[in-house]
């Protein structure tokens, strides 16, 4: 199911103190992967956190599921980033937006945050725009506030951030970057203000 394309080129670039990797045509059969992870609708993510707007103003869903074939993928990515996996399951992000007035992507970024180690993302939409941003902050206030409850107030003012890197999405593109950089999905148009979900598979690794 999750067979990697052994002929795919691995492109690496120096990004500050770390390497950022891009692998196009990552899966040998990406359509099968999409079919598998969208077979059933996953539950809404973190609805128990504070006054969550998940399911009201937007839908942020996550599949977390065991699959024997995913181990080899984690091993391959772990050998690239030099960090052990933080999980060994199939994990996805599936996001769409409901209320246009409340989802202010033109003036705000969605939930800049950090993770403990490298992040891997496989983009699984035919979309060239709504990828991932890596940030620095302009405002000291934003050093703490982005890490508060994700679904209570996820949109943060663009004026308080500096985009260090915009990672462009592409169907079946894998990107692997250090999650200790502030990062978040870059919603740049209204593609997912519809029935279509922004769909990607994610991998998390542990900083030693």
């Amino acid at each position: 199911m999750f067979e990697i394309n052994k002929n795919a080129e691995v492109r690496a670039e120096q990004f500050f103190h770390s390497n950022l990797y891009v692998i196009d045509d990552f899966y040998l059969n990406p359509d099968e992967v999409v079919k598998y992870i969208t077979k059933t609708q996953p539950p809404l993510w973190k609805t128990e956190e504070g006054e969550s707007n998940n399911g009201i103003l937007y839908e942020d869903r996550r599949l977390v599921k065991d699959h024997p074939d995913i181990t080899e993928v984690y091993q391959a990515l772990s050998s690239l980033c030099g960090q052990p996996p933080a999980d060994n399951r199939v994990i996805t992000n599936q996001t769409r937006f409901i209320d246009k007035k409340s989802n202010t992507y033109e003036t705000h970024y969605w939930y800049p945050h950090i993770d403990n180690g490298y992040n891997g993302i496989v983009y699984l939409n035919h979309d060239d725009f709504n990828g991932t941003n890596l940030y620095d902050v302009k405002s000291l206030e934003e050093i703490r506030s982005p890490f508060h409850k994700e679904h209570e107030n996820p949109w943060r003012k663009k004026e308080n951030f500096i985009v260090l890197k915009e990672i462009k999405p592409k169907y079946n593109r894998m990107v692997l970057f250090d999650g200790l950089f502030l990062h978040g999905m870059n919603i740049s148009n209204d593609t997912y203000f519809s029935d279509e979900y922004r769909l990607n598979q994610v991998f998390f690794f542990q900083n030693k």
Side-chain angles (χ1 to χ4, degrees):
M1 170 65 69
F2 295 97
E3 187 177 356
I4 296 174
N5 177 9
K6 298 289 198 300
N7 296 318
E9 178 187 1
V10 179
R11 305 196 307 274
E13 65 176 86
Q14 188 75 27
F15 185 71
F16 291 89
H17 59 270
S18 65
N19 284 329
L20 186 152
Y21 302 93
V22 179
I23 310 171
D24 286 340
D25 303 315
F26 181 69
Y27 281 126
L28 198 61
N29 299 297
D31 292 350
E32 289 185 9
V33 173
V34 171
K35 185 177 180 181
Y36 173 76
I37 63 179
T38 59
K39 184 165 51 178
T40 58
Q41 188 177 68
L44 295 170
W45 180 242
K46 294 183 179 179
T47 53
E48 75 286 353
E49 282 193 352
E51 297 179 9
S52 176
N53 287 305
N54 196 4
I56 301 170
L57 303 180
Y58 45 80
E59 292 182 14
D60 184 9
R61 299 180 177 275
R62 181 168 290 192
L63 175 71
V64 181
K65 191 172 183 179
D66 291 314
H67 195 288
D69 293 352
I70 203 64
T71 301
E72 290 186 15
V73 184
Y74 276 102
Q75 289 174 345
L77 297 178
S78 180
S79 68
L80 267 183
C81 69
Q83 295 180 355
D87 206 312
N88 59 358
R89 294 173 292 179
V90 177
I91 305 173
T92 69
N93 289 325
Q94 301 183 34
T95 311
R96 74 180 189 94
F97 303 95
I98 299 167
D99 182 76
K100 285 195 174 183
K101 291 182 179 178
S102 301
N103 292 293
T104 52
Y105 70 89
E106 293 179 340
T107 56
H108 292 69
Y109 293 124
W110 177 274
Y111 191 59
H113 64 283
I114 64 171
D115 292 299
N116 186 49
Y118 263 80
N119 282 16
I121 303 175
V122 184
Y123 299 105
L124 293 170
N125 297 96
H126 293 279
D127 174 11
D128 299 325
F129 299 99
N130 298 282
T132 304
N133 284 342
L134 307 183
Y135 304 102
D136 197 358
V137 290
K138 292 181 182 178
S139 167
L140 292 177
E141 176 190 353
E142 290 293 350
I143 292 177
R144 288 185 314 169
S145 57
F147 313 113
H148 289 180
K149 295 166 184 173
E150 179 175 357
H151 293 127
E152 194 170 323
N153 184 24
W155 291 104
R156 317 304 301 181
K157 291 180 181 178
K158 286 185 176 182
E159 64 192 41
N160 291 336
F161 295 89
I162 302 166
V163 178
L164 299 175
K165 176 79 175 178
E166 180 184 354
I167 300 173
K168 293 288 190 180
K170 182 181 179 182
Y171 184 68
N172 199 26
R173 169 175 286 168
M174 158 67 76
V175 298
L176 189 63
F177 60 89
D178 190 343
L180 288 175
F181 288 102
L182 274 174
H183 61 276
M185 62 178 176
N186 178 29
I187 301 302
S188 57
N189 59 38
D190 62 0
T191 296
Y192 303 111
F193 287 79
S194 64
D195 292 334
E196 182 181 3
Y197 286 87
R198 182 182 181 273
L199 175 65
N200 53 56
Q201 184 182 0
V202 293
F203 299 82
F204 300 103
F205 297 86
Q206 296 177 358
N207 188 26
K208 295 178 181 178

